[in-house]
Amino acid sequence: MHNQLETLRQFISTSNYIVFFGGAGVSTESGIPDFRSVDGLYSQKYKYPPERIVSRSFFMSNTADYYDFHKARLLHMDAKPNPAHIKLAELEKIGKLKAVITQNIDGLHQSAGSVKVLELHGSVYRNFCMECGLNYEVKFISGSEGVPHCSCGGVIKPDVVLFEEALDDDVMVESIMHIKNADMLIIGGTSLGVYPAAGLLNYYRGSKLVLINKSETPWDERADLVINGSIGEVLNAIVL
C-alpha cells in the first residue's frame, strides 16, 4: 500500500480543486452502522423491514413506528468525527478541498470543521413542521415522546430524504458543478450502489479519480487509483 499512498499524496499535492464524495463507510468508523453490510441495518430484524420504514409512504402511514426506528437507529448524537472527517476538514482549510459531497445524514463532517458540505440525503440535525414549516433542533426530536409535534399541532419531519422522495435540486446542481470543476475526485466509504447519488460521478472529467473503499466497487476499473482499505487510516496516513 506504500506506493498507493505515495501516489495519493502526489495527486493531492498537484491538485487545487479536490472534491470528496463519501458514503456510509466514512461514518461506520465513528461507530455509526450502515444499511447494506452484513452487520448493517438492513440485516437486522425489526417489526418492519428497515428499507420499508425509511420510506415516505411508511412515514406518512406509520409515523409512530417510523419515529421509534429513527430515534433508536438513526440518531447518533454522541458519535465523534474520525480521522477521515478530520483530514478532509484540514484539506479544506488549506484550500485544496472545495467540497464534501456526502450521502450521510449524521453531520460529522461539519463537526470536524468542514464548511462546504453538500448533504445529498439531508440531515437528522434539521427538522421541520410539515404544516407551518417551523424548524426544530434534533434535541427536540430525541427528547420527545412518540411522534414529535409542532406548537401549531403539525407533525415534525426530519429533513432526511426518504425512499420515494427526490433529492434536493439545489444540492444536486451544486454537487454537479463541483464535480465538473474538480481536478481530483476522491470517492470514499461507498460501494456506489445508491442512485441517483452514484450517478453524479459521471460528471467528473479529470484524470485523478481515486477510490478508497474496503471492498470493490463498479467504478474500480475506471479509477486512476484504487486503495482497498479503511478510509480513515488511508487519509490519516497522508502528510499535508
Side-chain angles (χ1 to χ4, degrees), residues 133-181:
L134 188 64
N135 295 318
Y136 284 85
E137 294 185 357
V138 67
K139 289 183 179 180
F140 182 87
I141 304 300
S142 63
S144 64
E145 294 290 335
V147 178
H149 285 82
C150 176
S151 56
C152 78
V155 172
I156 297 171
K157 180 184 180 296
D159 189 15
V160 297
V161 179
L162 302 173
F163 287 133
E164 304 164 354
E165 294 182 330
L167 302 187
D168 183 272
D169 284 341
D170 292 338
V171 173
M172 287 290 282
V173 168
E174 189 170 358
S175 298
I176 290 170
M177 181 272 291
H178 281 294
I179 291 175
K180 280 184 174 180
N181 290 334

Coordinates of all heavy atoms in Angstrom, one line a residue, residues 133-181:
G133 N -43.9 24.8 8.7 CA -42.5 24.9 8.3 C -41.5 25.3 9.4 O -40.4 25.5 9.1
L134 N -42.0 25.5 10.6 CA -41.1 25.9 11.7 C -40.0 24.8 11.9 O -40.3 23.6 11.8 CB -41.9 26.0 13.0 CG -41.2 26.6 14.2 CD1 -40.8 28.1 13.9 CD2 -42.1 26.6 15.4
N135 N -38.8 25.3 12.1 CA -37.7 24.4 12.3 C -37.5 24.0 13.7 O -37.7 24.8 14.7 CB -36.4 25.1 11.8 CG -36.4 25.4 10.3 OD1 -36.9 24.5 9.5 ND2 -36.0 26.5 9.9
Y136 N -37.0 22.8 13.9 CA -36.7 22.2 15.2 C -35.4 21.6 15.3 O -35.0 20.9 14.3 CB -37.8 21.2 15.6 CG -39.1 21.8 16.0 CD1 -40.1 22.2 15.0 CD2 -39.4 22.1 17.3 CE1 -41.3 22.8 15.4 CE2 -40.6 22.7 17.7 CZ -41.6 23.0 16.7 OH -42.7 23.6 17.0
E137 N -34.7 21.7 16.4 CA -33.4 21.1 16.6 C -33.5 19.6 16.9 O -34.6 19.2 17.4 CB -32.6 21.8 17.7 CG -32.2 23.2 17.4 CD -31.4 23.8 18.5 OE1 -31.1 23.2 19.5 OE2 -30.9 25.0 18.3
V138 N -32.5 18.9 16.7 CA -32.5 17.4 16.9 C -32.8 17.1 18.4 O -33.4 16.0 18.7 CB -31.2 16.8 16.4 CG1 -30.0 17.2 17.3 CG2 -31.4 15.2 16.4
K139 N -32.4 17.9 19.3 CA -32.6 17.6 20.7 C -34.1 17.6 21.0 O -34.6 16.9 21.9 CB -31.9 18.6 21.6 CG -30.4 18.4 21.6 CD -29.7 19.4 22.6 CE -28.2 19.2 22.6 NZ -27.6 20.1 23.6
F140 N -34.9 18.4 20.3 CA -36.3 18.4 20.5 C -36.9 17.0 20.0 O -37.8 16.5 20.7 CB -37.0 19.5 19.7 CG -38.5 19.6 19.9 CD1 -39.0 20.3 20.9 CD2 -39.4 18.9 19.0 CE1 -40.4 20.4 21.1 CE2 -40.7 19.0 19.2 CZ -41.3 19.7 20.2
I141 N -36.3 16.5 19.0 CA -36.8 15.2 18.5 C -36.4 14.1 19.4 O -37.3 13.2 19.8 CB -36.2 14.9 17.1 CG1 -36.5 16.0 16.1 CG2 -36.7 13.5 16.5 CD1 -38.0 16.3 15.9
S142 N -35.1 14.1 19.8 CA -34.7 13.0 20.7 C -35.4 13.0 22.1 O -35.5 12.0 22.7 CB -33.2 13.1 20.9 OG -32.8 14.3 21.5
G143 N -35.8 14.2 22.5 CA -36.4 14.3 23.8 C -37.9 14.2 23.8 O -38.5 14.2 24.9
S144 N -38.5 14.0 22.7 CA -39.9 13.9 22.6 C -40.4 12.5 22.8 O -39.7 11.5 22.6 CB -40.4 14.4 21.2 OG -39.9 13.5 20.2
E145 N -41.7 12.4 23.3 CA -42.3 11.1 23.4 C -43.1 10.8 22.2 O -43.9 11.7 21.8 CB -43.2 11.1 24.7 CG -42.5 11.2 26.0 CD -41.7 10.0 26.3 OE1 -42.0 8.9 25.9 OE2 -40.7 10.1 27.1
G146 N -43.0 9.7 21.6 CA -43.7 9.3 20.5 C -43.5 10.2 19.3 O -42.3 10.5 19.0
V147 N -44.5 10.6 18.6 CA -44.3 11.5 17.4 C -44.2 12.9 17.8 O -45.1 13.4 18.5 CB -45.6 11.3 16.5 CG1 -45.4 12.3 15.3 CG2 -45.7 9.9 16.0
P148 N -43.1 13.6 17.5 CA -43.0 15.0 17.8 C -43.9 15.9 17.0 O -44.0 15.7 15.8 CB -41.5 15.3 17.5 CG -41.1 14.3 16.5 CD -41.9 13.1 16.7
H149 N -44.6 16.8 17.8 CA -45.5 17.7 17.1 C -45.1 19.2 17.3 O -44.4 19.5 18.4 CB -46.9 17.5 17.6 CG -47.6 16.3 17.1 ND1 -47.4 15.1 17.7 CD2 -48.5 16.2 16.1 CE1 -48.2 14.2 17.0 NE2 -48.8 14.8 16.1
C150 N -45.4 20.0 16.4 CA -45.1 21.4 16.4 C -46.0 22.1 17.3 O -47.1 21.6 17.7 CB -45.2 22.0 15.0 SG -45.0 23.8 14.8
S151 N -45.7 23.3 17.7 CA -46.6 24.1 18.5 C -47.9 24.4 17.8 O -48.9 24.7 18.5 CB -45.9 25.5 18.9 OG -45.5 26.2 17.7
C152 N -47.9 24.3 16.5 CA -49.1 24.5 15.7 C -50.0 23.3 15.6 O -51.1 23.3 15.1 CB -48.8 25.0 14.3 SG -48.2 23.8 13.2
G153 N -49.4 22.1 16.1 CA -50.1 20.9 16.1 C -49.7 20.0 14.9 O -50.0 18.8 14.9
G154 N -48.9 20.5 14.0 CA -48.4 19.7 12.9 C -47.4 18.7 13.2 O -46.7 18.8 14.2
V155 N -47.3 17.6 12.4 CA -46.2 16.6 12.6 C -44.9 17.2 12.2 O -44.8 17.8 11.1 CB -46.6 15.3 11.8 CG1 -45.4 14.3 11.9 CG2 -47.8 14.7 12.4
I156 N -43.8 16.9 13.0 CA -42.5 17.3 12.6 C -41.8 16.2 11.8 O -41.9 15.0 12.2 CB -41.7 17.7 13.8 CG1 -42.3 18.9 14.6 CG2 -40.2 18.0 13.5 CD1 -41.7 19.2 15.9
K157 N -41.1 16.5 10.7 CA -40.4 15.5 9.9 C -39.0 15.8 9.9 O -38.6 17.0 9.7 CB -41.0 15.5 8.5 CG -40.3 14.5 7.6 CD -40.8 14.6 6.1 CE -40.1 13.6 5.2 NZ -38.7 13.8 5.1
P158 N -38.1 14.8 10.1 CA -36.7 15.1 9.9 C -36.4 15.4 8.5 O -37.0 14.9 7.5 CB -36.1 13.7 10.2 CG -37.1 13.0 11.0 CD -38.4 13.5 10.5
D159 N -35.4 16.3 8.3 CA -35.1 16.8 6.9 C -34.1 15.8 6.3 O -33.0 16.1 5.9 CB -34.4 18.2 7.0 CG -34.3 18.8 5.6 OD1 -34.9 18.3 4.6 OD2 -33.5 19.8 5.5
V160 N -34.5 14.5 6.2 CA -33.8 13.5 5.5 C -34.6 13.0 4.3 O -35.8 13.0 4.3 CB -33.5 12.3 6.5 CG1 -32.6 12.8 7.6 CG2 -34.7 11.7 7.0
V161 N -33.9 12.6 3.3 CA -34.5 12.1 2.1 C -34.9 10.7 2.2 O -34.0 9.8 2.3 CB -33.6 12.3 0.8 CG1 -34.3 11.8 -0.4 CG2 -33.2 13.8 0.7
L162 N -36.2 10.4 2.3 CA -36.6 9.0 2.5 C -36.8 8.4 1.1 O -36.8 9.1 0.1 CB -38.0 9.0 3.2 CG -38.0 9.6 4.6 CD1 -39.4 9.7 5.1 CD2 -37.1 8.9 5.5
F163 N -36.9 7.1 1.0 CA -37.2 6.4 -0.2 C -38.5 7.0 -0.7 O -39.4 7.3 0.1 CB -37.3 4.9 0.0 CG -36.0 4.2 0.2 CD1 -35.8 3.3 1.2 CD2 -34.9 4.5 -0.7 CE1 -34.6 2.6 1.4 CE2 -33.7 3.8 -0.5 CZ -33.6 2.9 0.5
E164 N -38.7 7.1 -2.0 CA -39.9 7.7 -2.7 C -39.8 9.2 -2.7 O -40.7 9.8 -3.2 CB -41.2 7.2 -2.0 CG -41.3 5.7 -2.0 CD -42.4 5.2 -1.0 OE1 -43.0 6.0 -0.3 OE2 -42.7 4.0 -1.0
E165 N -38.8 9.8 -2.1 CA -38.6 11.2 -2.2 C -37.4 11.6 -3.1 O -36.5 10.8 -3.2 CB -38.3 11.8 -0.8 CG -39.5 11.7 0.2 CD -39.3 12.3 1.5 OE1 -38.1 12.3 1.9 OE2 -40.2 12.8 2.1
A166 N -37.5 12.7 -3.8 CA -36.5 13.2 -4.7 C -35.4 13.9 -3.9 O -35.6 14.5 -2.8 CB -37.0 14.1 -5.7
L167 N -34.2 13.8 -4.4 CA -33.1 14.6 -3.8 C -33.3 16.0 -4.1 O -34.0 16.4 -5.1 CB -31.7 14.1 -4.5 CG -31.3 12.6 -4.3 CD1 -29.9 12.4 -4.8 CD2 -31.5 12.2 -2.9
D168 N -32.7 16.9 -3.2 CA -32.9 18.3 -3.4 C -32.2 18.8 -4.6 O -31.0 18.6 -4.9 CB -32.3 19.0 -2.1 CG -32.5 20.5 -2.1 OD1 -31.6 21.2 -2.7 OD2 -33.5 21.0 -1.6
D169 N -33.0 19.6 -5.4 CA -32.5 20.0 -6.7 C -31.3 20.9 -6.6 O -30.3 20.8 -7.3 CB -33.6 20.8 -7.5 CG -34.6 19.8 -8.1 OD1 -34.3 18.6 -8.3 OD2 -35.7 20.3 -8.5
D170 N -31.3 21.9 -5.6 CA -30.2 22.8 -5.4 C -28.9 22.1 -5.0 O -27.8 22.4 -5.4 CB -30.6 23.8 -4.3 CG -31.7 24.8 -4.8 OD1 -31.8 24.9 -6.0 OD2 -32.4 25.4 -4.0
V171 N -29.0 21.1 -4.1 CA -27.9 20.3 -3.7 C -27.3 19.5 -4.9 O -26.1 19.4 -5.0 CB -28.3 19.3 -2.5 CG1 -27.1 18.4 -2.2 CG2 -28.7 20.1 -1.3
M172 N -28.2 19.0 -5.7 CA -27.7 18.2 -6.8 C -27.0 19.1 -7.8 O -25.9 18.7 -8.3 CB -28.9 17.5 -7.5 CG -29.5 16.4 -6.8 SD -28.4 14.9 -6.8 CE -28.7 14.3 -8.4
V173 N -27.6 20.3 -8.1 CA -26.9 21.2 -9.1 C -25.6 21.6 -8.6 O -24.6 21.7 -9.4 CB -27.9 22.4 -9.3 CG1 -27.1 23.5 -10.1 CG2 -29.1 22.0 -10.1
E174 N -25.5 22.0 -7.3 CA -24.2 22.4 -6.8 C -23.2 21.3 -6.8 O -22.0 21.5 -7.0 CB -24.3 23.0 -5.4 CG -23.1 23.7 -4.9 CD -23.3 24.5 -3.6 OE1 -24.4 24.6 -3.1 OE2 -22.3 25.0 -3.1
S175 N -23.6 20.1 -6.5 CA -22.7 18.9 -6.5 C -22.2 18.7 -7.8 O -21.0 18.4 -8.0 CB -23.5 17.7 -5.9 OG -23.9 17.8 -4.6
I176 N -23.0 18.7 -8.8 CA -22.6 18.5 -10.2 C -21.6 19.6 -10.6 O -20.6 19.3 -11.3 CB -23.8 18.6 -11.2 CG1 -24.7 17.3 -11.0 CG2 -23.4 18.7 -12.6 CD1 -26.0 17.4 -11.7
M177 N -21.8 20.8 -10.2 CA -20.9 21.9 -10.5 C -19.5 21.7 -10.0 O -18.5 21.8 -10.7 CB -21.5 23.2 -10.0 CG -20.6 24.5 -10.3 SD -19.3 24.8 -9.0 CE -20.3 25.3 -7.7
H178 N -19.5 21.2 -8.7 CA -18.2 21.0 -8.1 C -17.5 19.8 -8.7 O -16.2 19.8 -9.0 CB -18.3 20.7 -6.6 CG -18.5 22.0 -5.8 ND1 -17.5 22.9 -5.7 CD2 -19.6 22.5 -5.1 CE1 -18.0 23.9 -4.9 NE2 -19.2 23.7 -4.6
I179 N -18.2 18.8 -9.0 CA -17.6 17.6 -9.7 C -17.1 17.9 -11.1 O -16.0 17.5 -11.4 CB -18.6 16.4 -9.7 CG1 -18.8 15.9 -8.3 CG2 -18.0 15.3 -10.6 CD1 -19.9 14.8 -8.2
K180 N -17.8 18.7 -11.8 CA -17.3 19.1 -13.1 C -16.1 19.9 -13.1 O -15.2 19.8 -13.9 CB -18.4 19.9 -13.8 CG -19.6 19.1 -14.5 CD -20.5 20.0 -15.2 CE -21.6 19.3 -15.9 NZ -22.5 20.2 -16.7
N181 N -15.9 20.8 -12.0 CA -14.8 21.7 -11.9 C -13.6 21.0 -11.2 O -12.5 21.5 -11.3 CB -15.2 22.9 -11.1 CG -16.1 23.8 -11.8 OD1 -16.1 23.8 -13.1 ND2 -16.9 24.6 -11.1

